[in-house]
Amino acid sequence: MSHILGFGGYVPERVMTNDDWAALVDTSDEWITQRTGIKRRRVAGPDESTLTLAGQAAAVAIKDAGLSADDIDEIIVATDTPEVYTPDTAALLQDLLGCRNVPTYDLGGSGCAGFVQGLDVARARIAFSPRTILVVGVELITRLIDWNDRSTAVLFGDAAGAVVLGPEPGRATVLDIVSGTDGSAAGILTLGVGGTRHPFNQAAIDSGAYNRLVMDGRRVFTEAVTRMSTAVSDVLDRIGKTVGDVDLVIPHQANLRIIDAVRKKLGAEQERVYVNIHEYGNTGSATVPFALWECVETGRIEKGDLVVLTAFGAGFHWAAVALQF
Ligand code: ACO
């Protein structure tokens, strides 16, 4: 079994409202609110980077666990917006935090599902050989997207969330995780430039394709609802529980309408499904760990609670995690 020993989260100070976006592109608070539920998001400052965001959340989680950087045996960072192309953000984070020369790696490219995939990998590593693992979900999306593309730019924000996972009983036990991938759906949500298929070159810059997120919003919507609700049901089946036993579901915060549709499919009451998208927008792989930290911090989650995390992201990847506090 693996256990969460500490939780951490961080968002940049700068708040950007829907009206701020409306001053830059042809959009409105009404359009964004109606379609997504988003009212504002955080935008990293010029002195911030993916690494500093990750560092802030990680430091909080390590402290919350009552540990120091020396106690960390492995680091996993889930991000689609890494600090640099090579090496991985996790290696840079190891140095920033002052950890020992422990193994580190990024889970990149799995979009908003990266953090829950990271939890799955971490618990398998702990089962293989007991160790203390820092798992971070971080995105600085606002620096990489096309600020002229109103159909995607207004959806996103910057944030980081982290947990420390270990073999000894802690604050929450990871009861089970289910996860899956449908690689045939890769084209419905992709940023295709920068790899070997479409290298980052002058042509990519001239066409503006280098930072354009291609998204079939309707396909993403239906896939997300089906995959997240099925994943939650599956993980509950595996631990012999039903939705009625769950105190809180924390879903990936992509869009309020997706969250509502998942809730209805599951038959869960509104107050048992956590929503903070109005405050932070879609922060990719950071939404779930940041929301988890926020719930613990604010007392929204209490000792004894059964909590289910669920996420979906580009790939298409999806997962659900059952946590017993
Ligand atoms: N402001 C005003 N108008 C806009 C904006 C905007 N910000 N963005 C698009 N529009 C316009 C379009 O240009 C289009 O106008 P047209 O009819 O004149 O061509 C019209 O609104 C409808 O555009 P659609 O893209 O069809 O908008 P849709 O109703 O599908 O809503 C949305 C877009 C909210 C993204 C929707 O597809 C959705 O909910 N998708 C779910 C996927 C999602 O949330 N993805 C987020 C990231 S993915 C992830 O987290 C894994």
Side-chain angles (χ1 to χ4, degrees):
M1 278 279 184
S2 25
H3 308 269
I4 299 183
L5 312 176
F7 304 84
Y10 177 78
V11 281
E13 264 179 36
R14 182 179 159 202
V15 176
M16 187 165 177
T17 64
N18 291 345
D19 286 337
D20 294 335
W21 264 118
L24 297 178
V25 295
D26 183 13
T27 190
S28 64
D29 175 44
E30 192 191 3
W31 194 96
I32 300 171
T33 306
Q34 271 181 5
R35 306 288 174 115
T36 72
I38 299 166
K39 298 297 285 182
R40 56 193 76 84
R41 72 286 290 145
R42 300 295 179 96
V43 177
D47 297 336
E48 291 185 301
S49 68
T50 298
L51 180 61
T52 67
L53 266 55
Q56 296 273 7
V60 173
I62 292 169
K63 189 169 178 226
D64 190 46
L67 299 175
S68 72
D70 261 357
D71 299 312
I72 301 300
D73 298 319
E74 196 160 322
I75 300 173
I76 303 174
V77 173
T79 185
D80 273 22
T81 53
E83 179 79 2
V84 291
Y85 194 77
T86 285
D88 50 315
T89 305
L92 303 174
L93 183 62
Q94 180 215 62
D95 181 51
L96 180 80
L97 294 172
C99 299
R100 291 172 286 115
N101 289 164
V102 299
T104 74
Y105 42 97
D106 278 12
L107 280 176
S110 41
C112 315
F115 173 79
V116 279
Q117 285 189 318
L119 279 187
D120 206 1
V121 174
R123 73 161 182 154
R125 298 282 289 160
I126 290 166
F128 168 70
S129 162
R131 66 191 75 187
T132 303
I133 306 184
L134 171 68
V135 186
V136 179
V138 57
E139 304 294 352
L140 203 168
I141 309 184
T142 63
R143 202 169 287 165
L144 295 184
I145 45 161
D146 180 357
W147 278 54
N148 297 311
D149 179 7
R150 65 176 181 174
S151 61
T152 55
V154 302
L155 304 174
F156 297 104
D158 304 328
V163 297
V164 176
L165 221 64
E168 305 295 336
R171 311 263 293 282
T173 299
V174 180
L175 297 177
D176 213 335
I177 302 181
V178 296
S179 60
T181 299
D182 176 5
S184 73
I188 67 174
L189 186 57
T190 178
L191 208 169
V193 173
T196 53
R197 190 184 294 177
H198 299 296
F200 184 87
N201 54 20
Q202 195 59 45
I205 296 170
D206 292 344
S207 68
Y210 71 96
N211 64 353
R212 193 168 301 138
L213 184 69
V214 175
M215 178 173 72
D216 179 342
R218 281 161 208 201
R219 280 281 313 279
V220 172
F221 192 103
T222 48
E223 286 284 337
V225 173
T226 308
R227 298 303 189 180
M228 284 204 288
S229 52
T230 306
V232 171
S233 301
D234 287 352
V235 82
L236 289 174
D237 276 352
R238 287 171 64 120
I239 61 168
K241 301 280 184 187
T242 66
V243 170
D245 299 315
V246 177
D247 296 288
L248 192 65
V249 177
I250 302 180
H252 169 49
Q253 310 282 312
N255 184 308
L256 186 59
R257 295 189 305 177
I258 292 177
I259 296 172
D260 270 343
V262 169
R263 180 179 63 74
K264 282 181 190 144
K265 247 188 150 161
L266 288 172
E269 297 150 25
Q270 203 151 8
E271 58 275 17
R272 287 177 195 253
V273 177
Y274 192 69
V275 176
N276 66 5
I277 191 167
H278 47 285
E279 281 298 324
Y280 305 111
N282 182 347
T283 61
S285 63
T287 71
V288 168
F290 180 81
L292 182 60
W293 171 73
E294 198 176 51
C295 289
V296 171
E297 273 292 292
T298 57
R300 179 67 187 77
I301 294 176
E302 293 176 342
K303 206 171 169 190
D305 282 356
L306 176 63
V307 175
V308 178
L309 318 176
T310 184
F312 72 97
F316 236 62
H317 303 286
W318 59 87
V321 184
L323 295 175
Q324 182 65 62
F325 277 76

